[in-house]
Amino acid sequence: MYRSVTLSFAVLLAVSIVGSSSCLWSDPEPSPNIQPVINDFTVGGEVVDVLRVREGETITITVIAWDGNGDQMEEENFTWEATLGTIVGFGPSVRYEPPTDVLWENPPQAVVDTVTVTVTDGQPDSEPVTRTIDVEILPPCPADNQEPVINSITADPVMIDLGDSATITIDAVDPEGEDLTYEWTPPFGYIDGMGDTVDWVSTDVCCTAYYDIEVVVSDGCKETWTFVSVYVNV
Ligand SMILES: [Ca+2]
Ligand SMILES: [Ca+2]
Protein backbone atom coordinates (compact mmCIF):
# COMPACT_ATOMS: atom_id res chain seq x y z
CA MET A 1 0.00 0.00 0.00
CA TYR A 2 2.69 2.46 1.00
CA ARG A 3 4.65 1.63 -2.12
CA SER A 4 1.74 2.19 -4.51
CA VAL A 5 0.95 5.59 -3.00
CA THR A 6 4.58 6.67 -3.47
CA LEU A 7 4.44 5.50 -7.07
CA SER A 8 1.26 7.44 -7.75
CA PHE A 9 2.92 10.57 -6.40
CA ALA A 10 5.91 10.03 -8.65
CA VAL A 11 3.67 9.60 -11.73
CA LEU A 12 1.65 12.64 -10.80
CA LEU A 13 4.83 14.67 -10.38
CA ALA A 14 6.19 13.52 -13.73
CA VAL A 15 2.92 14.36 -15.50
CA SER A 16 2.78 17.79 -13.96
CA ILE A 17 6.40 18.55 -14.91
CA VAL A 18 5.83 17.39 -18.50
CA GLY A 19 2.56 19.33 -18.59
CA SER A 20 4.07 22.59 -17.41
CA SER A 21 7.13 22.32 -19.64
CA SER A 22 5.03 21.60 -22.73
CA CYS A 23 2.99 24.67 -21.80
CA LEU A 24 6.13 26.76 -21.54
CA TRP A 25 7.69 25.74 -24.83
CA SER A 26 4.83 25.11 -27.23
CA ASP A 27 2.30 27.84 -26.40
CA PRO A 28 1.16 28.97 -29.87
CA GLU A 29 -0.72 32.04 -28.58
CA PRO A 30 1.47 34.91 -27.36
CA SER A 31 -0.35 37.01 -24.77
CA PRO A 32 -2.32 39.75 -26.53
CA ASN A 33 -1.17 43.35 -26.41
CA ILE A 34 -2.97 45.65 -24.00
CA GLN A 35 -3.64 49.23 -25.06
CA PRO A 36 -2.25 52.10 -23.00
CA VAL A 37 -4.62 53.74 -20.54
CA ILE A 38 -4.92 57.50 -20.05
CA ASN A 39 -5.81 58.33 -16.47
CA ASP A 40 -5.69 62.10 -16.04
CA PHE A 41 -4.29 65.42 -16.99
CA THR A 42 -2.28 67.22 -14.33
CA VAL A 43 -0.91 70.72 -13.89
CA GLY A 44 1.67 71.30 -11.20
CA GLY A 45 1.03 67.80 -9.86
CA GLU A 46 -2.73 68.39 -9.41
CA VAL A 47 -5.35 66.54 -11.42
CA VAL A 48 -7.39 68.96 -13.55
CA ASP A 49 -10.70 68.55 -15.39
CA VAL A 50 -10.60 71.90 -17.14
CA LEU A 51 -7.77 74.39 -17.63
CA ARG A 52 -7.81 78.18 -17.48
CA VAL A 53 -5.06 80.12 -19.20
CA ARG A 54 -4.81 83.86 -19.64
CA GLU A 55 -3.80 85.20 -23.04
CA GLY A 56 -0.07 85.97 -22.94
CA GLU A 57 0.63 83.26 -20.34
CA THR A 58 1.48 79.58 -20.84
CA ILE A 59 0.86 76.43 -18.85
CA THR A 60 2.51 72.98 -18.66
CA ILE A 61 0.10 70.07 -19.10
CA THR A 62 1.04 66.49 -18.19
CA VAL A 63 -0.88 63.41 -19.22
CA ILE A 64 -0.82 60.45 -16.84
CA ALA A 65 -0.78 57.30 -18.98
CA TRP A 66 0.40 53.72 -18.46
CA ASP A 67 0.54 50.47 -20.36
CA GLY A 68 -0.88 47.16 -19.13
CA ASN A 69 2.00 45.19 -20.65
CA GLY A 70 4.54 47.59 -19.28
CA ASP A 71 5.47 48.71 -22.81
CA GLN A 72 7.88 51.60 -22.63
CA MET A 73 6.28 54.81 -23.82
CA GLU A 74 8.81 57.21 -25.29
CA GLU A 75 8.40 60.82 -26.32
CA GLU A 76 7.25 59.83 -29.82
CA ASN A 77 4.37 57.79 -28.36
CA PHE A 78 2.61 61.02 -27.34
CA THR A 79 0.98 63.31 -29.92
CA TRP A 80 -0.62 66.58 -28.84
CA GLU A 81 -2.98 68.88 -30.71
CA ALA A 82 -4.76 72.13 -29.86
CA THR A 83 -7.69 73.50 -31.87
CA LEU A 84 -6.89 77.18 -31.26
CA GLY A 85 -3.62 77.42 -29.35
CA THR A 86 -0.12 76.04 -29.79
CA ILE A 87 1.57 73.02 -28.22
CA VAL A 88 5.29 73.36 -27.52
CA GLY A 89 7.43 70.34 -26.70
CA PHE A 90 7.10 66.54 -26.89
CA GLY A 91 6.32 63.61 -24.61
CA PRO A 92 3.93 63.31 -21.66
CA SER A 93 4.49 66.95 -20.54
CA VAL A 94 4.09 69.82 -22.97
CA ARG A 95 3.61 73.56 -22.80
CA TYR A 96 0.33 75.08 -23.98
CA GLU A 97 0.24 78.59 -25.44
CA PRO A 98 -3.22 80.12 -25.86
CA PRO A 99 -4.14 81.81 -29.15
CA THR A 100 -3.16 85.47 -29.54
CA ASP A 101 -5.66 86.43 -32.24
CA VAL A 102 -8.89 86.42 -30.20
CA LEU A 103 -10.95 89.60 -30.76
CA TRP A 104 -12.10 90.21 -27.21
CA GLU A 105 -15.51 91.73 -26.59
CA ASN A 106 -16.56 93.74 -23.55
CA PRO A 107 -17.46 91.94 -21.35
CA PRO A 108 -15.19 89.12 -22.61
CA GLN A 109 -16.93 86.29 -24.43
CA ALA A 110 -16.25 82.66 -23.53
CA VAL A 111 -13.39 81.17 -25.55
CA VAL A 112 -12.73 77.47 -25.08
CA ASP A 113 -9.91 75.57 -26.75
CA THR A 114 -9.68 71.78 -26.96
CA VAL A 115 -6.39 70.00 -26.35
CA THR A 116 -6.15 66.40 -27.51
CA VAL A 117 -3.45 63.90 -26.62
CA THR A 118 -3.00 60.60 -28.45
CA VAL A 119 -0.99 57.83 -26.81
CA THR A 120 0.33 54.61 -28.36
CA ASP A 121 2.50 51.84 -26.92
CA GLY A 122 4.45 51.41 -30.17
CA GLN A 123 3.22 47.82 -30.72
CA PRO A 124 2.30 46.85 -34.32
CA ASP A 125 -1.28 45.83 -33.47
CA SER A 126 -1.89 48.79 -31.21
CA GLU A 127 -4.80 51.20 -31.51
CA PRO A 128 -3.94 54.69 -30.23
CA VAL A 129 -5.99 56.01 -27.32
CA THR A 130 -6.99 59.67 -27.12
CA ARG A 131 -8.26 62.03 -24.46
CA THR A 132 -9.29 65.69 -24.65
CA ILE A 133 -9.40 68.50 -22.14
CA ASP A 134 -11.07 71.91 -22.44
CA VAL A 135 -9.00 75.04 -21.95
CA GLU A 136 -10.81 78.25 -21.06
CA ILE A 137 -8.95 81.21 -22.52
CA LEU A 138 -9.07 84.36 -20.41
CA PRO A 139 -8.51 87.83 -21.87
CA PRO A 140 -5.18 89.53 -21.15
CA CYS A 141 -5.03 91.66 -18.04
CA PRO A 142 -6.04 95.29 -18.69
CA ALA A 143 -3.14 97.70 -18.17
CA ASP A 144 -5.21 99.89 -15.83
CA ASN A 145 -6.42 96.99 -13.65
CA GLN A 146 -6.02 97.69 -9.95
CA GLU A 147 -5.17 95.14 -7.29
CA PRO A 148 -7.76 94.03 -4.72
CA VAL A 149 -8.21 96.12 -1.59
CA ILE A 150 -8.18 94.40 1.81
CA ASN A 151 -10.49 96.10 4.29
CA SER A 152 -9.91 93.82 7.28
CA ILE A 153 -8.79 90.41 8.49
CA THR A 154 -9.84 88.92 11.81
CA ALA A 155 -9.30 85.76 13.83
CA ASP A 156 -11.91 84.37 16.21
CA PRO A 157 -10.81 83.57 18.82
CA VAL A 158 -7.44 85.30 18.79
CA MET A 159 -6.10 82.94 21.50
CA ILE A 160 -6.48 79.16 21.35
CA ASP A 161 -5.08 75.99 22.91
CA LEU A 162 -2.97 73.58 20.86
CA GLY A 163 -5.25 71.38 18.75
CA ASP A 164 -8.07 73.93 18.68
CA SER A 165 -8.95 76.02 15.66
CA ALA A 166 -9.55 79.68 14.95
CA THR A 167 -11.89 81.06 12.28
CA ILE A 168 -10.16 83.56 9.99
CA THR A 169 -12.30 86.02 8.04
CA ILE A 170 -11.03 88.45 5.43
CA ASP A 171 -12.98 91.32 3.90
CA ALA A 172 -11.59 92.35 0.50
CA VAL A 173 -13.00 93.96 -2.63
CA ASP A 174 -11.75 94.59 -6.13
CA PRO A 175 -11.89 98.16 -7.54
CA GLU A 176 -13.16 96.75 -10.86
CA GLY A 177 -15.58 94.41 -9.11
CA GLU A 178 -13.81 91.26 -10.29
CA ASP A 179 -14.21 87.96 -8.46
CA LEU A 180 -11.47 87.35 -5.92
CA THR A 181 -9.64 84.17 -4.98
CA TYR A 182 -7.92 83.53 -1.64
CA GLU A 183 -4.83 81.39 -1.12
CA TRP A 184 -4.24 80.67 2.56
CA THR A 185 -0.90 79.61 4.03
CA PRO A 186 -0.82 78.32 7.62
CA PRO A 187 2.41 78.47 9.67
CA PHE A 188 1.76 74.93 10.95
CA GLY A 189 -1.30 72.70 11.08
CA TYR A 190 -3.74 73.13 8.21
CA ILE A 191 -6.43 75.32 6.70
CA ASP A 192 -9.95 73.88 6.71
CA GLY A 193 -12.26 75.36 4.08
CA MET A 194 -11.74 77.87 1.32
CA GLY A 195 -12.77 81.35 0.24
CA ASP A 196 -12.92 84.42 2.47
CA THR A 197 -13.69 82.49 5.69
CA VAL A 198 -11.62 79.49 6.77
CA ASP A 199 -10.54 77.67 9.90
CA TRP A 200 -6.91 77.35 10.94
CA VAL A 201 -6.43 74.08 12.84
CA SER A 202 -3.34 74.24 15.08
CA THR A 203 -2.37 70.57 15.06
CA ASP A 204 1.35 70.62 15.61
CA VAL A 205 2.84 73.95 16.67
CA CYS A 206 5.99 73.58 18.73
CA CYS A 207 5.58 76.18 21.40
CA THR A 208 3.42 78.82 23.00
CA ALA A 209 3.61 81.86 20.76
CA TYR A 210 1.85 84.03 18.20
CA TYR A 211 1.51 82.44 14.76
CA ASP A 212 0.79 84.28 11.51
CA ILE A 213 -1.71 82.92 8.99
CA GLU A 214 -1.09 84.47 5.58
CA VAL A 215 -3.49 85.00 2.70
CA VAL A 216 -2.91 86.12 -0.89
CA VAL A 217 -5.93 87.78 -2.52
CA SER A 218 -6.05 87.82 -6.33
CA ASP A 219 -8.38 89.20 -8.98
CA GLY A 220 -6.75 86.91 -11.53
CA CYS A 221 -4.35 89.60 -12.72
CA LYS A 222 -3.04 91.34 -9.64
CA GLU A 223 -2.70 90.18 -6.06
CA THR A 224 -2.15 91.54 -2.62
CA TRP A 225 -1.62 89.84 0.71
CA THR A 226 -1.98 90.17 4.44
CA PHE A 227 -1.86 88.06 7.60
CA VAL A 228 -3.44 87.70 11.01
CA SER A 229 -1.83 86.48 14.23
CA VAL A 230 -3.27 83.86 16.54
CA TYR A 231 -1.83 83.08 19.99
CA VAL A 232 -1.49 79.34 20.68
CA ASN A 233 -1.11 77.92 24.20
CA VAL A 234 0.88 74.67 24.16
CA1 LIG B 1 0.79 47.47 -24.57
CA1 LIG C 1 -8.83 94.41 -10.29
Side-chain angles (χ1 to χ4, degrees), residues 121-203:
D121 60 6
Q123 298 299 321
D125 60 342
S126 179
E127 285 290 318
V129 289
T130 66
R131 180 76 75 90
T132 63
I133 185 167
D134 285 345
V135 186
E136 287 178 19
I137 314 298
L138 305 173
C141 291
D144 58 353
N145 176 50
Q146 297 179 68
E147 65 184 32
V149 176
I150 295 169
N151 295 324
S152 66
I153 183 168
T154 55
D156 181 30
V158 294
M159 188 179 289
I160 58 176
D161 291 329
L162 178 61
D164 289 349
S165 62
T167 299
I168 317 292
T169 306
I170 186 169
D171 175 19
V173 293
D174 186 71
E176 289 83 17
E178 287 162 309
D179 289 341
L180 299 178
T181 58
Y182 305 86
E183 192 181 335
W184 296 89
T185 306
F188 299 98
Y190 62 93
I191 296 292
D192 190 13
M194 56 196 300
D196 58 4
T197 302
V198 298
D199 287 331
W200 174 48
V201 185
S202 63
T203 54

Side-chain angles (χ1 to χ4, degrees), residues 33-39 65-69 71 73 77 119-122 126-130:
N33 183 36
I34 300 172
Q35 307 303 108
V37 175
I38 296 175
N39 275 17
W66 56 281
D67 188 84
N69 308 107
D71 289 323
M73 288 191 285
N77 297 116
V119 181
T120 71
D121 60 6
S126 179
E127 285 290 318
V129 289
T130 66

Side-chain angles (χ1 to χ4, degrees), residues 81-99:
E81 257 184 311
T83 309
L84 303 174
T86 308
I87 300 291
V88 182
F90 305 94
S93 286
V94 293
R95 203 133 186 96
Y96 170 82
E97 294 177 353

